[in-house]
């Protein structure tokens, strides 16, 4: 029987109990945030909260979430972007919180973790073996084949030890290709009742546990599937809390992106096997050959028109896949498990091929300015070799989807250390589909930024609050912009860049995290500095990223250079990290199909495509990268941006306003002196 609001302790009392139990001290930002989350849950008004590192934001949302779950008997969903945060919540914060609040609320709150079916080991697939998989080119590589064999062997050994079957608990991990041998998609799953392993199934056990829990921790991808694709995979809920919300749009876009390759179609041919008449399968085989031929001929990149030959091949593919699906027919209760499995596996792939062909064909129906999907052809690299080309289709934006299916369905609280760009929530709010006012956000007393909910009654109501950070950025950190350097060119890093980097790393005595806009630049800088300096320089890709980060954290003199995952994933408090260097403003590549199409769409509506898309993307990443510097109260150091455009270009002001409020200098000797003093 749920307790009522009157019989439960107040939010403040619960927060104080929780903070004391974890040995912390009450922080003003944390209290402000907890109260704002509590208010949002009670009023149903969506909330965006920017909370800097060190605010204690997880307790600030978990405590009101638990209180709501206990009071109403309803589940609250908490979604994260990274496994690291998921682990922190499930292994550390939630167990401590549950114990701490037990006496106050009369029972221990329960929690569970839930991911997509693909994340769990499938006992049935383990028993019967994997069907024919699309060949993505990796199997031409003998090293990939032997690695696959080793990984699959490890997976079989692990299957007898694991209690959860959760892929993320397998350390070190295995390749996606190996994991596919032991997992199934939701469409391939036989269903609990039909499957001989249904009662022991890891995915089913996780779902059942989630259905009983007060709080369910999940990831943005599953949240997107639940909200956007119409499969109800999460337990019924009326409140969702999205941590690492700066990642939401990218994760939702990934879920809504589809691809088509010749390998997928030939794998579907094999999956159909002898289940249907040969002449029907032959048509699919011809489609596969047609796709291979035309994908090899077409230039890679964004497609603004549908070439006639591609249209022909996609039409044939669509019709052939449809004929195979019809011939396979519906599930029959008289079918044995083996036949049902073979049918499901074939249908799952055929539907994907059919639906993607239809989507690409329809993507070009509207005039360019009205199109909702972006289509492009590209080849990923694997082990330095290009994979066969894939045709991809992604939504131009996900604002409409989020507005209707997420904000329209439940109270949503979005939080991250980086939600305001250029001092306002507007850029991200627009991407989420929330209405924005046509005025800059007001800075309220102290650090809080309050935006009154807009008057539009049809639009989702929301408010934004910046609860600041417990760190004094202007005293603990310096932003150095190397204004004297030439703007970065297209032909790699220049000698003046290396001289600048060498001087900074030398002054800092190592302790440098180098954030580069490409792996090529990271490697080039690592090679050059190894020649010039004696400090150990690690470079991403030389070992697993987590191991490299551990080595970097353990030894103060060590430097770590790398690219995208380091921009967001490094949490190294203390003196091992006193200098963050950024080689160039991380704009999307000009040939990025999605970013360039989004930019063009904004321009077609009369907006500034560069500012809305490219500068926003860069601002978010820069803020995340700069956020690596101060991770605890005692941390001090320098963020050095070696791209003079941050000081000289028109958009530089917007980018600088998106960074934490460090003390800023353009003076090389000042920054070297400060680093040397920290190093002494
Ligand atoms: S129920 Fe589905 S996921 Fe579970 S073991 Fe059976 S086929 Fe695999």
């Amino acid at each position: 029987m749920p307790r009522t609001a009157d019989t439960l302790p107040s939010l403040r009392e619960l927060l104080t109990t929780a903070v004391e139990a974890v040995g912390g001290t009450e922080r003003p930002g944390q209290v402000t945030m907890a109260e704002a989350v509590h208010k949002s849950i009670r009023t149903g008004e969506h909330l965006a909260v920017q909370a800097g590192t060190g605010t204690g934001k997880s307790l600030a949302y978990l405590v009101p979430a638990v209180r709501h779950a206990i009071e109403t008997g309803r589940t609250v969903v908490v979604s994260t972007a990274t496994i690291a945060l998921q682990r922190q919540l499930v292994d550390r914060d939630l167990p401590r919180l549950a114990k701490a609040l037990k006496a106050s609320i009369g029972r221990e709150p329960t929690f569970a973790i839930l991911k997509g079916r693909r994340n769990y080991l499938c006992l049935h697939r383990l028993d019967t073996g994997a069907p024919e998989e699309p060949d993505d080119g990796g199997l031409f590589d003998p090293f990939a084949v032997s690695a696959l064999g080793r990984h699959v062997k490890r997976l079989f050994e692990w299957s007898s030890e694991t209690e959860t079957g959760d892929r993320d608990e397998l350390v070190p991990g295995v390749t996606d290709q190996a994991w596919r041998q032991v997992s199934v998609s939701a469409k391939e799953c036989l269903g609990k009742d039909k499957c001989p392993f249904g009662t022991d199934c890891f995915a089913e056990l996780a779902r059942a546990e989630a259905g009983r829990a007060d709080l369910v921790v999940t990831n943005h991808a599953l949240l997107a599937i639940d909200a956007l694709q119409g499969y109800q995979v999460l337990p019924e809920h009326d409140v969702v809390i999205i941590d690492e919300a700066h990642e939401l749009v990218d994760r939702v876009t990934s879920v809504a992106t589809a691809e088509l390759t010749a390998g997928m179609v030939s794998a579907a041919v094999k999956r159909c096997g002898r289940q249907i008449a040969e002449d029907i399968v032959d048509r699919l085989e011809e489609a596969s050959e047609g796709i291979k031929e035309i994908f090899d001929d077409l230039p890679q990149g964004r497609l603004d028109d549908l070439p006639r030959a591609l249209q022909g091949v996609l039409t044939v593919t669509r019709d052939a896949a449809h004929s195979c699906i019809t011939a396979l027919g519906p599930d029959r209760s008289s079918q044995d498990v083996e036949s049902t499995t073979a049918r499901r596996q074939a249908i799952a792939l055929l539907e994907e091929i059919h639906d993607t062909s239809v989507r690409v064909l329809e993507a070009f129906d509207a005039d360019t300015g009205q199109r909702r999907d972006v289509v492009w052809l590209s080849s990923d690299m694997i082990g330095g070799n290009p994979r066969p080309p894939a045709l991809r289709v992604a939504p131009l934006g996900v604002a409409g989807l989020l507005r209707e299916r997420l904000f329209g369905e439940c109270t949503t609280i979005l939080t991250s250390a980086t939600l305001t760009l250029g001092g306002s929530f507007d850029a991200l709010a627009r991407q989420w589909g929330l209405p924005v006012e046509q005025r800059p956000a007001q800075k309220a007393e102290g650090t809080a930024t309050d935006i009154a909910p807009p008057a539009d009654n049809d639009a989702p109501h929301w408010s934004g609050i910046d609860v600041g950070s417990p760190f004094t950025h202007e005293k603990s950190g310096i932003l150095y912009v190397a204004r004297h350097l030439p703007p970065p060119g297209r032909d790699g890093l220049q000698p003046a860049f290396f001289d600048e980097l060498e001087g900074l790393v030398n002054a800092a005595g190592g302790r440098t995290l180098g954030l580069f806009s490409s792996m090529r630049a990271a490697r080039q800088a690592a090679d050059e500095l190894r020649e010039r300096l004696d400090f150990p320089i690690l470079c991403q890709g030389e070992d697993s990223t987590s191991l490299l980060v551990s080595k970097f954290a353990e030894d103060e003199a060590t430097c770590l250079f790398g690219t995208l995952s380091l921009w967001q994933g490094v949490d190294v408090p203390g003196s091992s990290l006193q200098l963050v260097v950024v080689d160039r403003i991380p704009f999307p590549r000009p040939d990025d199909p999605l970013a360039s199409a989004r930019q063009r769409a904004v321009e077609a509506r009369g907006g500034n495509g560069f500012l809305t898309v490219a500068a926003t993307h860069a601002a978010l990443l820069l803020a995340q990268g700069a956020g690596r510097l101060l991770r605890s109260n005692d941390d001090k150091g320098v963020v050095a941006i070696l791209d003079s455009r941050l000081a000289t270009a028109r958009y530089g002001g917007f980018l600088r306003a998106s960074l934490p409020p460090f003390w800023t200098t353009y003076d090389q000797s000042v920054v070297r002196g400060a680093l040397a003093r920290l190093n002494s």
Side-chain angles (χ1 to χ4, degrees), residues 117 122-125 184 189-192 195 197-198 201 203-204:
R117 195 165 291 263
C122 167
L123 295 170
H124 181 240
R125 177 157 284 188
V184 293
C189 168
L190 287 175
K192 186 171 182 277
C195 176
F197 297 88
C201 168
E204 293 295 336

Side-chain angles (χ1 to χ4, degrees), residues 130-340:
E132 190 64 35
E133 280 290 314
D135 179 8
D136 58 9
L139 294 182
F140 294 126
D141 177 352
F143 292 107
V145 174
S146 61
L148 177 66
R150 278 200 311 278
H151 285 173
V152 172
K153 186 164 172 274
R154 254 190 72 218
L155 282 167
F156 272 86
E157 287 160 8
W158 178 69
S159 69
S160 56
E161 299 157 16
T162 177
E163 286 179 11
T164 62
D166 180 347
R167 179 181 182 179
D168 295 331
E169 291 186 6
L170 179 68
V171 180
V174 294
T175 58
D176 287 347
Q177 197 179 25
W179 184 255
R180 281 201 301 270
Q181 309 281 315
V182 295
S183 63
V184 293
S185 65
K187 279 189 181 170
E188 289 172 316
C189 168
L190 287 175
K192 186 171 182 277
D193 297 335
K194 184 113 189 176
C195 176
F197 297 88
T199 43
D200 296 325
C201 168
F202 291 119
E204 293 295 336
L205 291 174
R207 278 191 75 168
E209 203 185 333
R212 296 187 293 268
D214 295 314
L215 246 71
V216 171
V217 178
T218 189
N219 52 45
H220 295 354
L222 194 67
L223 182 73
I225 290 168
D226 187 79
L228 311 183
Q229 295 191 345
Y231 305 116
Q232 212 218 333
V233 282
L234 292 169
E236 216 164 291
H237 56 278
D238 60 349
V239 174
V240 59
I241 296 167
I242 301 176
D243 201 342
E244 300 175 314
H246 60 276
E247 288 269 354
L248 182 67
V249 167
D250 280 354
R251 301 297 167 109
V252 173
T253 304
S254 296
V255 167
T257 300
E259 75 170 35
L260 180 68
T261 64
M264 284 168 69
V265 184
S266 60
V269 168
K270 290 181 186 134
R271 285 194 193 182
C272 286
R274 296 206 189 98
Q275 298 183 73
I276 51 177
E278 208 174 325
D279 60 321
I280 302 176
V281 183
D282 284 351
R283 266 184 268 155
L284 194 65
E285 186 143 28
E286 280 162 27
S288 156
E289 282 156 18
I291 288 179
K292 181 170 177 350
E293 213 167 289
I294 192 149
F295 283 12
D296 284 343
D297 281 355
L298 281 175
Q300 301 210 356
R302 197 181 75 213
L303 293 173
D304 289 332
D305 298 298
L306 185 61
R308 192 179 282 273
L310 180 57
Q311 184 181 24
V313 165
L314 289 175
T315 308
V316 169
T317 307
R318 176 197 66 192
D319 295 345
H322 185 260
S323 303
C324 292
I325 293 167
T326 311
L328 283 163
D331 260 351
R332 285 183 293 276
S333 52
S334 56
Q335 265 178 337
D336 58 18
V337 170
E338 203 180 320
S339 315
T340 309

Side-chain angles (χ1 to χ4, degrees), residues 361-420:
L361 286 166
E362 289 178 355
F364 297 90
D365 282 352
D367 292 339
T368 314
Q370 308 297 320
R371 289 180 189 165
R372 289 168 168 234
D373 272 334
V374 182
V375 180
W376 73 96
L377 190 70
S378 61
S379 294
D380 294 338
M381 300 298 280
I382 182 165
N385 300 311
R387 286 166 65 175
L391 190 67
R392 297 195 165 91
V393 53
L396 195 57
V398 293
L401 284 170
L402 290 175
R403 181 164 167 158
E404 186 188 318
R405 313 259 177 91
L406 182 66
F407 298 106
E409 295 293 326
C410 53
T411 307
T412 306
I413 292 138
L414 304 117
T415 185
S416 164
T418 322
L419 291 184
T420 65

